[in-house]
Amino acid sequence: MMHGYPFAIVEHKGMRRVFEYLNENVQTISRNSIKKVCLAKHLEFKVMLKEMFSTLPGKVCLTCDIWTACTSCSYLTLTIHYVDDGWSLRSKVLNFFHFAPPHTGLEIYNTLYEKSKEWGLANKVLTMTCDNASNMDNMVSHLRSSLLENLPCDGKFFHEGLDNIQASLKKIRDTVRYIDAFEARLINFYACAQQCGLACNTKLWLDVSTRWNSTYLMLKKALYYRRGLDLYGSKESYFQHCLSSLEWLKVEKICELLEPFYEITTLFSGSDYLTSILYFYNIWDIESLLLSAKDDVDVDISAMATKMYAKFDKYWREYSLVMSFGVILDPRYKFDFVKFALKKLHGDDIMRANSHPIKVRQELLQLLASPSYTLDLDVPVDTGKCTQLDVPSVYGEKCDSLSFLACSIVSGVICQILFRKSISKEVFLLKFL
């Protein structure tokens, strides 16, 4: 099982000879017997996990993805993220199975709801993360309704996660496809790059059009080989994909715009550290970048940033609530930072700059169910040179409700599925479920 071998391996002659060599008195077993043993162990571990989930101090966060294999079969994965009694972040794949069509929102909902009940999680869910396909939107609607009485603040923090850059990109893609098509072209291209003084220690990259981060990498590598590509285009008579100076300038600006997104989403994709408390500050940074890009002198870049910001702003008001809790629970920032960040971004819109902090405080009080803890959440603590939040020392011995909330919020992992599928190349569309 560890190496993905079928159960039938125990019936292979070679394997049985190994068993007999190790122990001449061994009793061989059939594939059905070993299957029964493995399934029995699986059920034992499942019972242990369910008991452990029921005793968790805080809420849990779920992620869901549906993908199609090269065999055209579709699979569904359900993963749980939580903080255990020792304040360590844990992730476990609960279900991974073949998911036959139809992939409608109702079918996905029926499956996920049954699985969550099967694991005893119907009253433990804080958030779920998935992509923004229309069927997922439909699923979210049904799932929110079913879990409403058990979701914090009536399910206000149940959200979801994807689309396009265009013109100049087509020439880059066509260039990479043309050069990669034949080995002779690759040799000629690298010869041109070396003539331009470029070290050929990296290859050209053809992106996956639905993955914005691979598009960024394609542009970055194309820019590195810019002089080599220009020289190759001047020598290759059949090459028709040369970029003009203005087009290269546009590619540079697009790359500059995407680079901070790439760095921040790489940070969020980590699974060995807490990401919830990193989220608010970095998303605030992204919003600042988009607002700046909207005023770019390049009409195309400005139009792209405007479209990205429109989608960004659509979800900002909702997901920032739960992520505001995360930054408030970080003693280095607390509530003062939320007020500062929103005032800096929306200083001209006084109503928006002031209304959101008020709403955050109200929702946080509702979760805490006691106003006596609010003073502890306002003023940042001087942690000196400390750059990481020591969760146990800050909240482990504190009041029960504050500790419970901290444990729940910090388990909100921003996983790869959210950003590698939900941040498109032209429409930055965040959906935190």
Side-chain angles (χ1 to χ4, degrees), residues 116-371:
S116 65
K117 288 200 301 181
E118 180 183 322
W119 285 98
L121 299 174
N123 63 343
K124 298 281 289 183
V125 180
L126 175 69
T127 66
M128 179 179 279
T129 304
C130 67
D131 61 33
N132 77 321
S134 58
N135 56 351
M136 288 296 191
D137 290 339
N138 192 15
M139 177 275 291
V140 168
S141 171
H142 289 295
L143 197 56
R144 184 192 286 115
S145 299
S146 297
L147 301 179
L148 190 59
E149 62 183 31
N150 295 313
L151 288 173
C153 299
D154 298 327
K156 289 175 185 155
F157 312 132
F158 233 60
H159 313 300
E160 321 115 54
L162 247 202
D163 225 86
N164 201 344
I165 283 180
Q166 301 227 5
S168 298
L169 296 181
K170 186 177 184 303
K171 281 192 174 183
I172 298 289
R173 289 194 184 104
D174 290 341
T175 295
V176 177
R177 288 194 187 100
Y178 180 88
I179 294 174
D180 277 349
F182 298 100
E183 186 178 3
R185 293 176 182 173
L186 275 172
I187 293 172
N188 291 336
F189 164 69
Y190 286 128
C192 292
Q194 289 173 345
Q195 286 182 37
C196 296
L198 299 172
C200 300
N201 50 14
T202 184
K203 295 182 179 180
L204 289 172
W205 182 285
L206 182 61
D207 72 334
V208 179
S209 59
T210 57
R211 300 291 180 92
W212 74 270
N213 53 338
S214 70
T215 299
Y216 164 74
L217 293 173
M218 179 184 72
L219 296 179
K220 185 177 180 181
K221 294 189 177 187
L223 284 170
Y224 173 79
Y225 282 118
R226 174 179 175 176
R227 288 181 294 154
L229 288 170
D230 287 340
L231 180 59
Y232 178 80
S234 66
K235 290 185 174 183
E236 180 67 44
S237 57
Y238 293 103
F239 184 73
Q240 300 177 349
H241 312 297
C242 292
L243 277 73
S244 66
S245 298
L246 289 176
E247 287 173 324
W248 276 117
L249 182 60
K250 193 178 298 295
V251 168
E252 280 183 20
K253 289 189 175 182
I254 292 174
C255 200
E256 288 174 5
L257 181 61
L258 289 179
E259 185 174 14
F261 289 82
Y262 179 80
E263 293 173 352
I264 291 173
T265 52
T266 300
L267 176 68
F268 287 163
S269 297
S271 58
D272 297 329
Y273 49 86
L274 301 176
T275 54
S276 299
I277 52 180
L278 303 173
Y279 197 72
F280 185 91
Y281 176 83
N282 286 284
I283 292 300
W284 171 66
D285 195 26
I286 285 176
E287 187 174 17
S288 301
L289 290 170
L290 288 176
L291 286 171
S292 176
K294 283 173 64 179
D295 299 327
D296 195 282
V297 292
D298 188 303
V299 176
D300 293 329
I301 297 296
S302 176
M304 186 178 83
T306 300
K307 193 173 181 180
M308 291 169 72
Y309 186 77
K311 291 295 182 181
F312 177 93
D313 192 57
K314 179 180 178 182
Y315 295 94
W316 172 258
R317 300 171 193 272
E318 289 195 48
Y319 74 71
S320 63
L321 271 177
V322 69
M323 286 308 157
S324 296
F325 299 162
V327 78
I328 290 171
L329 292 174
D330 187 333
R332 297 166 298 177
Y333 296 106
K334 294 197 176 182
F335 194 74
D336 278 2
F337 179 75
V338 176
K339 293 188 289 186
F340 163 79
L342 294 170
K343 186 175 181 181
K344 186 170 182 179
L345 278 177
H346 309 294
D348 296 334
D349 188 348
I350 299 177
M351 182 174 293
R352 181 172 180 181
N354 294 331
S355 63
H356 182 79
I358 294 173
K359 189 176 182 181
V360 170
R361 182 181 286 276
Q362 291 173 343
E363 299 292 351
L364 188 55
L365 288 178
Q366 185 179 340
L367 282 176
L368 287 172
S370 173

